[in-house]
Amino acid sequence: TDNFDLAAGTLFAIQFFWQFPHFISIAWVQHDNYKKAGFKMLFGGEKNKYPGFISVVTSLFMTSISISPFFSHISANSIATVY
């Protein structure tokens, strides 16, 4: 439809930043199983501060982007039309 407005960009950004904490949390919980299978799923390959830092930072970005439509007065109707 050639209409990539702020509502569409906001939804894209939420999904983009959501994937990092989601992926890291699964990799963190299943680290031992992945390690036995020979997969390095965590950033850096080990449970340390680096994957946790990435998860927290991207969660903060996702949260701030998620509340931005409220403060920029994007209506629910404009977001619903993206779907």
Side-chain angles (χ1 to χ4, degrees), residues 13-14 20 24 27 35 39 43 45 49 52 56 62 67 70 72 81:
I14 291 169
F20 295 103
I24 292 169
K35 194 172 186 176
F39 294 109
F43 295 103
K49 292 180 182 180
V56 169
M62 181 188 61
I67 62 172
F70 175 77
S72 61
T81 58

Side-chain angles (χ1 to χ4, degrees), residues 30-52:
Q30 296 297 326
H31 178 69
D32 294 333
N33 292 332
Y34 285 133
K35 194 172 186 176
K36 286 178 192 174
F39 294 109
K40 293 182 180 179
M41 300 298 283
L42 289 173
F43 295 103
E46 294 296 326
K47 282 185 172 181
N48 57 27
K49 292 180 182 180
Y50 186 61

